[in-house]
Amino acid sequence: MPADTNAAGDVFGGWLMSQVDIAGSIEAHRYAQTRVVTIAVQEFLFLNPVFVGDLLSLYAKIVHVGTTSIRVRIDGYAQRQRGSEETHKVTEAQITYVAIDENRRPCPVVKRTGA
Ligand SMILES: CC(C)(COP(=O)(O)OP(=O)(O)OC[C@H]1O[C@@H](n2cnc3c(N)ncnc32)[C@H](O)[C@@H]1OP(=O)(O)O)[C@@H](O)C(=O)NCCC(=O)NCCS
C-alpha cells in the first residue's frame, strides 16, 4: 500500500522485513507449539524492489532445529500485476527463533511427528 513506501516510492525495506519475520515465526511456532521470539537474523537479501500494488508471497521452511532454537529460511516473491504470471524473487532470508516458556526463558523444542 502507498503508506508502506519509502521516499523514492518503492515499498520500504523495513515493511518487507517485518512481513518476513512474521512468516518465519508462524513456521517456527507451528513446529514448536509454544511461543517463539526472534533472536537473530543470519541473512536478509533484497533481491528486487517491491512496488505498490504487488502481491507478495512468502514461503517459509525450517532449515535447522537446535535445543531451544529454530532457524527458518524465508523466500519472497512479488507478483507485479494481479492476474499476470510475472513474478520476481524479491527476498531471501534466514532468521532464528527461540522457543520460550511462561517466564520468557528458552525452553527445549520438542520434535513433533509430522512437523
Ligand atoms: C530469546 C531470549 C529468551 C534468549 O535468551 P538467552 O538466555 O540469550 O538464550 P540462550 O543463550 O540460552 O540461547 C537460546 C538459543 O538461541 C541461540 N542463539 C543465541 N544467540 C544467537 C545468535 N546470535 N544467533 C543465532 N542463535 C543464537 C542459542 O544457540 C540457543 O539455541 P539452542 O538452544 O538451540 O542451542 C532472549 O535473548 C530474549 O528475550 N531476547 C529478546 C527477544 C525479542 O524480544 N525478540 C524480538 C521480538 S519477537
Side-chain angles (χ1 to χ4, degrees):
M1 298 298 282
D4 303 314
T5 57
N6 60 26
D10 298 344
V11 168
F12 184 48
W15 179 86
L16 184 58
M17 291 180 88
S18 70
Q19 301 302 306
V20 167
D21 185 28
I22 291 168
S25 72
I26 290 170
E27 183 62 7
H29 177 264
R30 191 183 68 82
Y31 187 94
Q33 293 289 298
T34 185
R35 186 172 171 203
V36 296
V37 289
T38 311
I39 189 164
V41 176
Q42 274 74 42
E43 177 183 57
F44 208 111
L45 298 175
F46 296 93
L47 300 169
N48 277 294
V50 178
F51 300 125
V52 169
D54 284 357
L55 178 66
L56 179 68
S57 299
L58 299 171
Y59 301 90
K61 181 181 178 186
I62 291 171
V63 292
H64 179 76
V65 178
T67 305
T68 65
S69 67
I70 300 173
R71 187 188 298 189
V72 182
R73 176 187 166 129
I74 306 102
D75 295 298
Y77 298 85
Q79 189 178 328
R80 296 293 188 214
Q81 290 178 9
R82 305 281 166 91
S84 145
E85 295 300 315
E86 189 193 2
T87 57
H88 298 265
K89 187 167 188 181
V90 293
T91 190
E92 199 175 294
Q94 286 205 29
I95 302 179
T96 299
Y97 302 87
V98 175
I100 58 168
D101 61 20
E102 59 278 6
N103 299 312
R104 305 185 61 96
R105 295 306 306 152
C107 63
V109 173
V110 181
K111 184 162 173 50
R112 295 179 302 111
T113 2

